[in-house]
């Protein structure tokens, strides 16, 4: 195989010239070659030098001069050369051998073959020559090109050794399967199943990195099902696994909330690439197991799962080392409010209901609507149509009310300060009571969103409640 026509970037000819002048072998390797063959856009370019990657990168950067940036990662034995929007990582060919108790291999200098031997999957173990006489020629020791053709993830060596050496590779296999829409070859898959316990020696950051990549793939359920079926998911995300299963009592069952959740995640993934909205889909029903009750009249209920779920979010984010910042708050809010538009759509859509939703949701109301639409997974087409139609109504009303009342990010026209000044009150309970009363009156449509009306309302309310300064 030769991929010369795919190697158009002018920086490659600079590498060719320098490598030939120095008598060094240089190869494009790994994911970059794989993605070139797949015609898939990639950012990071990896170049393997037989010899020192750092020394080569230094001389290349020196040669290119000007705006070229060089960063050396001494601990990893790699160097990054950046020029314009192109960044190339240089690494020396290496040979690796592992110890049973850590992910850290013993590393020595090696040949091109040694270097390809240490790589995780056949599709990632391709090297394309950058030297002039062999330019574009692909070294394929394990049939990686054929596996790309077959859409197959396969380890080049004994799967038990590969996955035991570095258990992160199990998640990488599943992540690539989900990202590329490949299947995992049977022997490799069985190896993951046998070694799944080993995932526990991998750091949470690395696991979550892969989990995020699975979640950002075109159809995340593919990856989550593989994680579940291989036994990995119950080790890294037990709360999600608890959603699986159907219980039947007196002939009444409930839906399987695990597969429902995965369907919601797939649905939402057709509408948004936002990682955090996708996380909201993963977590929207997370408290269903904890709130599940059976009642002879109404069957299975999950009352309060949205509130309980939103309270579970920080614990889950902490365990998964996801950020405990405004992204987490956004996910909490989505989980908390995910039933509101449905509740609205079920009855006649009232102005006050819509105003309340806008007030509670603010800027994120569009994200919430996307989540709610994704949450409709009924197999009954008639029902789905009806719900979606009702949502259209809600959306129309949202626009309507918003353009009239500007509730999004709204602050009531009378502040606590103003209440205290006007009524000559000290800070305390009464101020809070009046503030809430004014807000509620506006949201309910009793008075308009207007300062004069609010002040008038406040004075009469204070009188009614006997509040004196
Ligand atoms: P992406 O950049 O989309 O994550 P990639 O295949 O480029 O995919 P990287 O993590 O960038 O993955 O790694 C580059 C290459 O290094 C891989 O293609 C593979 O050859 C090798 N590699 C990375 N991680 C491992 C690992 N844990 N075990 C063995 N080889 C690995
Ligand atoms: Mg890469």
């Amino acid at each position: 195989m030769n991929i010369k026509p795919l190697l158009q970037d002018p920086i490659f000819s600079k590498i060719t010239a320098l490598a030939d002048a120095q008598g060094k072998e240089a190869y494009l390797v790994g994911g970059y070659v794989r993605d070139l063959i797949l015609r898939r856009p990639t950012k990071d370019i990896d170049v393997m030098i037989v010899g020192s990657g750092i020394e080569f990168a230094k001389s290349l950067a020196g040669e290119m001069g000007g705006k070229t940036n060089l960063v050396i990662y001494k601990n990893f034995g790699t160097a990054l050369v950046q020029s314009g929007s192109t960044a190339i990582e240089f690494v020396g060919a290496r040979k690796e051998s592992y110890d049973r108790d850590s992910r850290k291999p013993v590393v020595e200098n090696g040949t091109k073959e040694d270097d390809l031997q240490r790589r995780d999957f056949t599709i990632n173990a391709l090297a394309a020559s950058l030297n002039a006489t062999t330019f574009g020629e692909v070294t394929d020791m394990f049939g990686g090109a054929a596996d790309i053709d077959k859409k197959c993830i396969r380890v080049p060596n004994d799967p038990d050794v590969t996955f035991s050496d570095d258990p992160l590779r199990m998640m990488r296999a599943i992540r690539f399967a989900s990202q590329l829409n490949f299947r995992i070859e049977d022997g490799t898959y069985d190896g993951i199943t046998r070694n799944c316990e080993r995932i526990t020696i991998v750091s949470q950051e690395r696991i979550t990195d892969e989990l995020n990549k699975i979640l950002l793939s075109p159809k995340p359920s593919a990856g989550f099902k593989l994680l579940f079926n291989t036994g990995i998911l119950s080790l890294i995300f037990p709360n999600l696994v608890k959603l699986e299963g159907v219980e039947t009592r007196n002939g009444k069952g409930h839906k399987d909330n695990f597969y429902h959740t995965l369907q919601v995640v797939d649905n939402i993934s057709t509408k948004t690439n936002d990682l955090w909205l996708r996380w909201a889909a993963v977590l929207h029903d997370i408290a269903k197991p904890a709130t599940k009750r059976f009642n002879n009249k109404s069957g299975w209920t999950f009352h309060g799962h949205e509130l309980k779920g939103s309270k579970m979010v920080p614990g889950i984010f902490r365990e998964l080392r996801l950020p405990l910042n405004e992204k987490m708050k956004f996910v909490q809010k989505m989980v908390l409010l995910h039933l509101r538009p449905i509740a609205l759509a079920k009855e006649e859509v009232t102005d006050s209901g819509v105003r309340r939703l806008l007030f509670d949701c603010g800027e994120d109301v569009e994200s919430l609507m996307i989540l709610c639409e994704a949450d409709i997974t009924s197999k009954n087409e008639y029902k789905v149509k009806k719900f979606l139609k009702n949502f259209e109504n809600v959306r129309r009303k949202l626009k309507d009310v918003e353009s009239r009342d500007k509730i999004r990010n709204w602050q009531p026209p009378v502040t606590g300060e103003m209440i205290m000044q006007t009524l000559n009150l000290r800070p305390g309970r009464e101020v809070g009571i009046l503030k809430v009363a004014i807000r509620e009156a506006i949201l309910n449509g009793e008075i308009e969103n207007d300062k004069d009306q609010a002040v008038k309302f406040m004075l009469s309310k204070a009188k009614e409640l006997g509040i004196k300064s």
Side-chain angles (χ1 to χ4, degrees):
M1 187 183 208
N2 192 305
I3 58 167
K4 187 173 175 184
L6 300 173
L7 307 179
Q8 299 295 339
D9 202 311
I11 197 158
F12 295 147
S13 47
K14 294 205 178 94
I15 297 173
T16 302
L18 189 63
D20 282 353
Q22 295 188 356
K24 293 263 164 59
E25 290 173 57
Y27 300 92
L28 288 163
V29 272
Y32 185 72
V33 178
R34 175 199 69 219
D35 289 340
L36 270 183
I37 296 173
L38 283 167
R39 309 290 195 277
R40 199 170 165 261
T42 35
K43 314 158 256 102
D44 7 311
I45 305 176
D46 291 311
V47 171
M48 178 229 299
I49 301 291
V50 181
S52 165
I54 293 180
E55 288 311 316
F56 188 87
K58 275 186 189 163
S59 50
L60 180 70
E63 193 112 319
M64 289 169 59
K67 293 198 177 88
T68 310
N69 199 18
L70 174 72
V71 191
I72 294 173
Y73 302 97
K74 219 168 168 202
N75 293 343
F76 295 100
T78 65
L80 196 70
V81 175
Q82 254 172 317
S83 163
S85 60
T86 312
I88 305 188
E89 187 155 333
F90 288 87
V91 59
R94 56 172 78 158
K95 189 180 163 129
E96 289 181 351
S97 42
Y98 282 81
D99 220 29
R100 178 147 176 102
D101 294 315
S102 96
R103 279 192 66 227
K104 260 209 156 78
V106 180
V107 179
E108 315 158 65
N109 294 335
T111 61
K112 169 182 70 173
E113 286 76 14
D114 291 329
D115 192 277
L116 294 180
Q117 192 84 41
R118 75 178 173 88
R119 292 176 183 267
D120 47 6
F121 306 110
T122 62
I123 61 168
N124 288 345
L126 299 171
S129 169
L130 289 175
N131 295 96
T133 52
T134 47
F135 194 81
E137 247 174 57
V138 174
T139 308
D140 180 3
M141 296 168 65
F142 310 106
D147 282 341
I148 291 178
D149 247 17
K150 285 187 284 185
K151 295 171 150 271
C152 179
I153 312 281
R154 184 164 63 88
V155 292
N157 304 306
D158 179 344
D160 288 319
V161 176
T162 303
F163 293 133
S164 177
D165 277 353
D166 179 1
L168 183 71
R169 292 169 180 162
M170 301 188 287
M171 289 210 61
R172 284 174 56 89
I174 292 171
R175 184 254 289 189
F176 286 124
S178 201
Q179 274 182 331
L180 306 175
N181 187 23
F182 276 32
R183 55 179 287 281
I184 300 176
E185 174 266 338
D186 291 348
T188 302
Y189 182 91
D190 294 343
I192 298 177
T193 312
R194 278 194 302 275
N195 291 278
C196 67
E197 292 281 343
R198 295 273 295 161
I199 197 66
T200 48
I201 69 162
V202 177
S203 80
Q204 188 60 53
E205 285 78 2
R206 289 211 143 103
I207 291 175
T208 297
D209 243 21
E210 296 298 327
L211 205 52
N212 281 338
K213 286 180 180 170
I214 290 170
L215 190 50
L216 285 172
S217 66
K219 192 176 166 204
S221 68
F224 277 97
K225 282 178 192 168
L226 286 167
L227 288 174
F228 179 72
N229 292 328
T230 53
I232 289 183
L233 196 62
S234 64
L235 296 161
I236 63 168
F237 200 169
N239 273 319
L240 191 62
V241 172
K242 282 189 200 139
L243 293 174
E244 194 264 346
V246 177
E247 208 178 323
T248 308
R249 240 187 250 182
N250 302 346
K252 284 182 189 165
H254 58 77
K255 68 181 161 205
D256 185 311
N257 287 304
F258 178 68
Y259 292 101
H260 161 71
T261 293
L262 294 189
Q263 180 68 56
V264 177
V265 174
D266 281 353
N267 287 350
I268 213 158
S269 303
T270 65
K271 301 278 188 233
T272 179
N273 291 322
D274 183 276
L275 177 64
W276 306 106
L277 190 48
R278 290 186 181 200
W279 266 111
V282 172
L283 296 174
H284 79 287
D285 277 346
I286 200 71
K288 277 201 166 170
T291 56
K292 179 163 118 174
R293 302 281 179 273
F294 186 79
N295 165 318
N296 278 325
K297 261 215 305 255
S298 35
W300 295 103
T301 64
F302 304 91
H303 289 310
H305 74 273
E306 68 283 20
L307 177 61
K308 172 106 185 164
S310 77
K311 287 185 179 158
M312 286 170 72
V313 169
I316 291 170
F317 265 51
R318 197 169 301 118
E319 268 170 37
L320 295 180
R321 303 274 193 285
L322 287 166
L324 306 174
N325 57 13
E326 73 284 354
K327 304 297 183 198
M328 179 190 84
K329 293 216 174 89
F330 167 79
V331 174
Q332 280 192 285
K333 187 184 199 179
M334 291 297 109
V335 175
L336 178 66
L337 299 177
H338 82 270
L339 297 176
R340 290 278 293 278
I342 302 176
L344 252 180
K346 270 189 184 152
E347 301 146 23
E348 196 193 336
V349 188
T350 63
D351 279 13
S352 69
V354 170
R355 268 197 293 268
R356 252 165 217 295
L357 184 59
L358 278 168
F359 180 73
D360 292 335
C361 205
E363 277 307 326
D364 299 317
V365 74
E366 180 52 32
S367 299
L368 185 67
M369 292 304 293
I370 292 172
L371 175 60
C372 287
E373 280 164 352
D375 198 9
I376 302 168
T377 62
S378 167
K379 294 214 167 58
N380 179 334
E381 267 182 51
Y382 168 76
K383 255 191 179 168
V384 172
K385 269 209 182 109
K386 199 180 96 191
F387 269 125
L388 289 178
K389 196 152 180 64
N390 284 348
F391 275 131
E392 263 173 46
N393 253 335
V394 176
R395 275 179 194 273
R396 191 160 346 103
K397 265 271 155 89
L398 277 167
K399 257 205 196 124
D400 214 45
V401 170
E402 172 61 16
S403 67
R404 247 188 302 128
D405 300 356
K406 305 267 180 296
I407 297 291
R408 213 182 278 219
N409 294 332
W410 166 74
Q411 293 300 323
V414 175
T415 63
E417 282 289 304
M418 288 157 76
I419 296 173
M420 289 191 284
Q421 267 180 16
T422 317
L423 294 169
N424 197 15
L425 288 175
R426 289 165 172 280
R429 242 188 76 218
E430 283 95 349
V431 183
I433 291 174
L434 287 172
K435 241 173 96 171
V436 171
I438 295 167
R439 189 190 73 205
E440 292 298 295
I442 294 172
L443 291 174
N444 284 333
E446 290 161 37
I447 60 171
E448 272 171 42
N449 182 13
D450 166 276
K451 191 175 156 190
D452 288 346
Q453 288 197 30
V455 170
K456 220 165 105 191
F457 175 86
M458 171 189 74
L459 291 170
S460 77
K461 195 77 189 172
K463 205 164 160 192
E464 180 191 318
L465 295 173
I467 293 177
K468 293 197 194 82
S469 53

